[in-house]
Each structure stands twice: as C-alpha cells, then as structure tokens.
Amino acid sequence: MSKQILILPGDGIGPEIMAEAVKVLELTNDKFQLGFELSHDVIGGAAIDKHGVPLADETLARAKAADAVLLGAVGGPKWDKLERDIRPERGLLKIRSALGLFANLRPAILYPQLAEASTLKPEVVAGLDILIVRELTGGIYFGQPRETRVLENGERQAFDTLPYSESEIRRIARVGFDMARVRGKKLCSVDKANVLASSQLWREVVEEVAKDYPDVELSHMYVDNAAMQLVRAPKQFDVVVTDNMFGDILSDEASMLTGSIGMLPSASLDANNKGMYEPCHGSAPDIAGQGIANPLATILSVSMMLRYSFSQSDAADAIERAVSVVLDQGLRTGDIYSEGTTKVGTVGMGDAVVAALRNL
Ligand code: IPM
Ligand code: MG
C-alpha cells in the first residue's frame, strides 16, 4: 500500500525551502521505489488567509490520516498583531499536540566542511554530534491556566503555568535513554530543579527511569549552566533531554555551534514513531521571497523522516551523502558562506543536491 505524506510549506521562506525538499523527496521516492504519495495543504499564516484559522480541522484530519507530515515554517509580520489564540504559531502547537508528537529530536551535527562557518573556534566544535531531545506537548507551552488580567489596582498582569506529570516526564526520559543507548551512551537531563517544582519532579522521575538503563551514564545540569557549557565545551554532550521551553532555547543555541540554524532538521514523534518533520529554523520573513534561504535543514528533515517513520535507512543515508557531496563541491547559501566557497541560492542548492543524489 502506498504511504501518504502531507506537505505543509507554511509561511515566509517555508514554500521556497519546501519546493527543494520536495524535489529531493520525489527523486528519492523514484530511486528507492518507496511508493510515497504526496499531498499539499496550508498551515500558519497561509491557513489564516485561506480559512481564518492557523490550522483548519480538515487539514488536521489529513495530517492524522497521513503516515508522516513534512512542514516548512510558520509565522510572519503580517499576522503578528493577531490575538495569541489565532496566531500562526498556534497552528503549529495544535498539530504537535493533536498528533501526540511529544518527542522532538533535534540533532546538532557539525559537517566537517562547515567548521569555518561556526562562530566558535574550529577545535571547540570539530566533530560535534549532539542530540537534543525536547519534550514537545507539555510544560509551559500548554499549561493551564494562562491569562492576562487586570488587577484591582488597575495594573495588567499575565501568567502561564508550567505543569509536568510523571507519565509525561517518564516517556520523554525513555526516549532520551533509548537514543543515548544507540549513540554515545551518555544522557544529560537539563532542568532548573534548584528553583522549579516541575523540575524537581522531572529530576526524580528521570532518576527512576535510569534504573532501567544501567548502561547509560546519566548526569543532571541546571539549564543556565547547560547554556554556558554548550558554548564552552559542547563536545561534553551526547544526548540532552529537557522540557519544552528549555529545549526550544537550547536547540537554537546548539544549532549555532554548527555554523547555521539553516542546516538543522528535526523530527517530532508520537509513541509509535509516526512523525512530523521540520527544520529547526523559523519562517525568516526578513529574507522570504529572495531565493536565498538554505533548504538543507528541510532536505535533511526528509532524511530523518525516511529513517524514523519508514525505516528506510539506505534512502536516508543517500540524502545525507548527497548533502555532503554538495558541501564538498564548495556550494554554500549565504548563511554558511565563507571565503573561497561558491555562493548559491535556494534553488541552486536544491538542484545541486538532486544532481548529487542522482549520481550516487
Ligand atoms: C520551534 C519554534 C516554535 C516553538 C514556535 C514557532 C512556536 O521556535 O519549533 O522551536 O517555540 O516551539
Ligand atoms: Mg524555537
């Protein structure tokens, strides 16, 4: 039976980078006879323009029915003034939550060809290979109550709530340990247990889960220290497991170690490895429409999709090799450009990956 893949390009640079990723996906589909059927829909600002909401019910139904979802990015200044509940980002949070995609895998890998593109010294980042496992459907992003209100003295006040239940912590901790087990066997759990009740429970539950993984070395780190250690000595980390908001922040930080957030893919998985795949970066409205965005994060998200949702590791490897070939050829989008390399645009980069993949 054919596998259904739903493509949601989103806003800003989303459609541009997605067009390149789809070229790569279609070629991979032919070359490895994967039998994928692609369909397209809208999310975020594009959905607000079309349906008045950032994620229409019919789009969510199609995402639920699909075997995997490939997403570009959402948001932009056009929709920034809207109320929080109908902003483009709400569509993204809703699809993550409704599909139960609690495990967000964000690898930060430094391609050796890009050591010069990092703002850190090459010896600090050479060979870097970190995996951030971010809890994605709980914590402060979804906690209730959340409110903006006017106090009796007339002053406005706003608050959010940061809840974590034992079961939510346990299942994401297991993903962290499972990933560490097949990598470098080191897991660092990041929290703020010196201040937050939710983090104290987080630490306790992670300790309990650790009993099932005696082969994995567990450490704990406060998030402020982790932010510092990531730029001081990032290679001390193998797998990092952390909550939704800390993971949001630390994954942006980790991405810059690799030279550009434009290189980093992500996978968001449910309990059965059904997933949504998207670049870690946003919709970059400042460069949208200029044809200069880096499509590699989205192309590498296709590779993650083949690996995690479809167990097609040969096809996934081929895409990653093709990306490596293109970097060897010295082709760079602006975000990873350094002297002596050749600057290309979004389409140029996509075409080069397609050509490299065809020639493998
Ligand atoms: C991310 C993004 C999203 C998040 C935004 C767009 C809601 O920053 O995927 O990291 O905060 O999760
Ligand atoms: Mg983010």
Side-chain angles (χ1 to χ4, degrees):
M1 226 179 76
S2 70
K3 300 273 184 203
Q4 304 295 325
I5 298 175
L6 180 64
I7 309 283
L8 299 173
D11 311 316
I13 59 170
E16 297 164 52
I17 53 177
M18 187 59 81
E20 303 313 308
V22 165
K23 282 188 210 163
V24 172
L25 176 56
E26 280 173 343
L27 175 60
T28 315
N29 195 14
D30 286 348
K31 199 174 157 91
F32 292 85
Q33 303 190 350
L34 302 174
F36 291 153
E37 269 178 32
L38 277 49
S39 60
H40 284 70
D41 209 333
V42 289
I43 191 169
I48 294 173
D49 290 350
K50 188 168 173 195
H51 302 291
V53 287
L55 178 67
D57 290 343
E58 67 241 40
T59 307
L60 179 57
R62 291 173 81 184
K64 283 184 174 164
D67 295 290
V69 178
L70 189 63
L71 185 132
V74 299
K78 180 175 176 195
W79 308 281
D80 268 353
K81 297 251 149 43
L82 294 172
E83 292 238 346
R84 196 183 61 225
D85 283 345
I86 51 163
R87 285 174 60 101
E89 290 80 0
R90 273 285 129 192
L92 183 57
L93 299 182
K94 186 172 169 189
I95 197 170
R96 287 173 177 171
S97 169
L99 297 183
L101 307 173
F102 70 90
N104 184 211
L105 311 182
R106 298 192 160 188
I109 295 167
L110 184 82
Y111 280 80
Q113 301 94 323
L114 296 184
E116 291 298 317
S118 176
T119 47
L120 272 76
K121 295 194 191 97
E123 64 267 26
V124 175
V125 290
L128 185 83
D129 181 355
I130 302 178
L131 178 66
I132 296 190
V133 177
R134 169 188 177 194
E135 200 291 326
L136 201 61
T137 52
I140 202 163
Y141 273 58
F142 295 94
Q144 294 292 342
R146 60 168 61 196
E147 206 179 306
T148 307
R149 61 191 177 188
V150 182
L151 298 175
E152 269 170 26
N153 67 3
E155 195 183 11
R156 284 170 303 157
Q157 185 192 54
F159 60 88
D160 300 277
T161 305
L162 200 181
Y164 266 110
S165 64
E166 233 180 303
S167 56
E168 285 177 303
I169 302 169
R170 191 166 289 118
R171 65 182 183 178
I172 194 70
R174 286 203 171 281
V175 174
F177 280 106
D178 286 337
M179 290 290 153
R181 186 168 258 174
V182 296
R183 292 172 41 105
K185 297 197 163 30
K186 269 173 38 182
L187 179 66
C188 180
S189 171
V190 171
D191 62 37
K192 189 70 186 173
N194 50 347
V195 176
L196 302 176
S198 55
S199 277
Q200 282 158 6
L201 182 64
W202 179 280
R203 203 172 265 225
E204 274 173 44
V205 175
V206 171
E207 286 286 345
E208 288 162 22
V209 175
K211 298 198 177 87
D212 294 338
Y213 296 85
D215 52 323
V216 175
E217 183 196 318
L218 172 68
S219 60
H220 300 278
M221 205 179 271
Y222 297 138
V223 62
D224 48 349
N225 186 25
M228 181 182 75
Q229 296 297 337
L230 266 176
V231 286
R232 193 187 72 85
K235 283 189 267 179
Q236 70 186 282
F237 296 103
D238 175 21
V239 180
V240 171
V241 65
T242 192
D243 85 357
N244 203 342
M245 185 162 66
F246 299 156
D248 178 46
I249 298 166
L250 293 181
S251 62
D252 264 31
E253 189 188 2
S255 74
M256 267 326 280
L257 305 174
T258 72
S260 170
I261 196 167
M263 293 297 297
L264 295 191
S266 81
S268 306
L269 304 175
D270 75 0
N272 304 310
N273 279 358
K274 170 167 167 173
M276 182 165 87
Y277 298 83
E278 54 181 310
C280 284
H281 62 71
S283 57
D286 53 323
I287 58 163
Q290 297 178 31
I292 59 171
N294 185 348
L296 291 179
T298 316
I299 290 171
L300 291 167
S301 297
V302 172
S303 158
M304 283 190 100
M305 176 175 84
L306 296 171
R307 201 179 294 288
Y308 289 103
S309 282
F310 301 112
S311 301
Q312 294 287 348
S313 51
D314 288 351
D317 288 346
I319 292 177
E320 284 164 23
R321 269 211 311 283
V323 168
S324 208
V325 165
V326 167
L327 295 177
D328 281 339
Q329 290 165 350
L331 303 184
R332 305 281 188 272
T333 42
D335 56 314
I336 50 175
Y337 176 79
S338 60
E339 230 180 86
T341 61
T342 310
K343 202 179 272 188
V344 292
T346 310
V347 175
M349 186 58 101
D351 284 345
V353 175
V354 164
L357 187 58
R358 195 168 273 133
N359 290 331
L360 277 182

